[in-house]
Amino acid sequence: MNKMQKTIADIWVLGIVAMLLGLVGCAPLAPNTTIPSSPVPNTTPGIDDSTKRVEANGITLAYQRFGPTDDEPVLLIAGTGMQMVDWPMTLIDALTAQGYQVIRFDNRDSGLSTHLDEAGLPDSAAIEQALKAGEMPKLPYTVRDMAEDAVGLLDALAIDQAHIVGASQGGAIAQYVAIDHPERVRSLTLLMADSANPALPVIAKPEAFAHVPPQPQDAGDEAAYIEWQVKTWQALTGPGYPLDEATLHEWAVRDFARGYDPAGFARQGTAILVDRYEPTAYRHSHLQTIAAPTVIVQGDADPIVPVAAAEELAQLIPNAELRMMPGLGHNMPDPVVPAVVEALANAAARAERGS
C-alpha cells in the first residue's frame, strides 16, 4: 500500500462523506464520526451447509434459501456492510410460516460473495473532481450494478418474479430492480431506505455517532472491529427498541469471523453516496415509474435516513404506502418483525389483486 492509499484508508469514511456534504453546502461531520453500516442483526450461525454459491452478473454470490421452492419467493437485499446472516431469523421464520420461500444473499464485497480486492480503495479526490464537474466518477461499481447482481441471482435460481425487500442501501438496490426490471418485481418493501434526493441530508442525525470510534482499517483487528460495530449499532438503535450490549457483542464476533473487509465496505459506501449526486439523478427521477405495489417502513428515530426521504418515496412511487414506526432507529429488532411481515403481506395482497 503506497502513501496515498494509506492516507485514503485512514480518512476514507470521514473524507468521502465530508466531501459529498461539502458539495451540497452542508457542514462536514465531526472528526470522529463514521459512516455506519446497516445492520439488521440476529443470531444465525455465519457459515453452515445451507450456504450455496452461484455465478451471477460475472461474480460469485453466496446465498441461503428457506422454505419450499414452489412457494412465492421473497428476496432480501442487504445494506452497506451488512452480511446476509444479519437478516433476523425471526423474519425468515415468520415469512416461511406465511407460505413464502425466502432468499438472502451477500452483496458483492460482503460476506462470502466475491470481493473486488483488485479494485482497491476508491479515489476520493478523483470522485470529488468528477462530481464538481458534473460528470459521473469512475467507480469499481455502482448501486445499479448491484441491482443487476440481484437480478442475476434470480436468474440463477430460475425465479421469474419475486417480492423484493431491501434494507438501507439494499432499499436503493431494490428500487433499481423495480425501475430497470419491473417484470421481476411482484411487490416492493423498502426498509429505512432513502430517495436519492441530494437536497436531503446524507445522515439525518450525525450527532448520534459522536462517540463511535473510527472504522478500523486493519481487517485482522478483531477487538477494534467489535468495539466499532457495537458502538455503531448502539448509535443506530432507536429509543423505542433498546438492545443489550452482550447481544451486540455476540453479533459482532459472528460477523468478524465470517469476514470483515474495510476496503469492500468503502467501495459499497462510495457507490451509495455517489448515487445521490450522480449527474443524471437516474434513481430519483425514475421513482415515479415503479409499478409494483410498494410499502415503505421507516423509523421516526432513524439517525441515518431522514423521515423526509421516506415521505418523498411515498409521494413519488405511485400508490406507495408509508408505515412510520415510532421509536425505531436504523435497524430491525425482533419486536418490529411482525409489522414488517404484515407490511409485506399487504403489498403482496395488492399485487395479487392487481394480477
Side-chain angles (χ1 to χ4, degrees):
M1 178 181 288
N2 62 34
K3 183 176 181 180
M4 179 178 293
Q5 289 174 321
K6 185 178 187 304
T7 300
I8 292 174
D10 289 343
I11 67 171
W12 174 257
V13 173
L14 171 62
I16 190 67
V17 179
M19 177 272 289
L20 289 172
L21 286 169
L23 288 176
V24 294
C26 300
L29 301 181
N32 63 342
T33 303
T34 65
I35 265 186
S37 57
S38 305
V40 190
N42 70 99
T43 56
T44 308
I47 303 172
D48 57 36
D49 292 340
S50 68
T51 301
K52 310 296 181 185
R53 292 180 175 85
V54 295
E55 297 301 310
N57 195 28
I59 61 173
T60 300
L61 294 178
Y63 73 96
Q64 292 175 330
R65 200 171 189 175
F66 304 86
T69 57
D70 55 352
D71 286 347
E72 282 193 44
V74 173
L75 181 66
L76 305 177
I77 306 179
T80 311
M82 178 180 167
Q83 300 187 43
M84 66 177 170
V85 296
D86 292 328
W87 286 101
M89 277 307 299
T90 49
L91 173 66
I92 293 169
D93 290 342
L95 288 172
T96 55
Q98 292 283 330
Y100 298 102
Q101 63 162 307
V102 181
I103 301 103
R104 63 181 183 178
F105 69 102
D106 288 326
N107 285 319
R108 60 172 66 195
D109 267 335
S110 180
L112 305 180
S113 290
T114 294
H115 289 242
L116 283 77
D117 299 329
E118 69 283 355
L121 286 162
D123 186 336
S124 57
I127 291 170
E128 178 180 8
Q129 183 177 4
L131 290 175
K132 285 184 174 178
E135 301 171 354
M136 182 64 187
K138 292 182 178 179
L139 302 175
Y141 52 84
T142 66
V143 177
R144 207 171 177 187
D145 292 328
M146 298 175 79
E148 293 302 316
D149 294 347
V151 173
L153 177 59
L154 294 179
D155 290 341
L157 300 180
I159 295 174
D160 293 330
Q161 195 176 59
H163 301 284
I164 307 296
V165 181
S168 196
Q169 181 174 3
I173 296 169
Q175 291 168 42
Y176 274 113
V177 175
I179 291 166
D180 291 341
H181 301 277
E183 75 285 355
R184 310 303 294 272
V185 183
R186 186 76 171 154
S187 72
L188 185 64
T189 301
L190 304 176
L191 312 173
M192 47 194 168
D194 85 304
S195 59
N197 185 345
L200 293 176
V202 174
I203 298 180
K205 301 174 183 177
E207 66 276 8
F209 304 96
H211 300 293
V212 177
Q215 179 190 359
Q217 296 303 317
D218 181 355
D221 191 340
E222 181 177 15
Y225 173 84
I226 291 172
E227 180 187 13
W228 170 65
Q229 278 294 69
V230 168
K231 290 188 179 300
T232 296
W233 283 336
Q234 289 172 332
L236 292 172
T237 299
Y241 301 91
L243 295 168
D244 68 277
E245 186 169 338
T247 300
L248 298 178
H249 185 278
E250 179 184 343
W251 293 338
V253 170
R254 175 207 60 202
D255 285 357
F256 183 84
R258 201 166 180 271
Y260 171 51
D261 181 1
F265 178 93
R267 290 188 290 269
Q268 286 188 357
T270 300
I272 189 61
L273 285 165
V274 171
D275 190 66
R276 297 171 60 94
Y277 302 105
E278 57 92 4
T280 68
Y282 181 86
R283 176 160 62 98
H284 187 259
S285 64
H286 283 74
L287 289 173
Q288 72 273 14
T289 70
I290 294 177
T294 300
V295 62
I296 300 141
V297 180
Q298 174 66 32
D300 68 0
D302 191 329
I304 297 183
V305 176
V307 167
E311 294 173 339
E312 184 175 49
L313 285 173
Q315 292 167 0
L316 294 179
I317 299 174
N319 301 312
E321 177 191 4
L322 174 59
R323 299 193 175 196
M324 195 64 63
M325 301 291 294
L328 179 64
H330 196 80
N331 59 355
M332 191 170 58
D334 283 348
V336 175
V337 165
V340 173
V341 173
E342 199 277 328
L344 185 152
N346 181 271
R350 286 195 282 145
E352 184 65 26
R353 290 195 296 270
S355 64

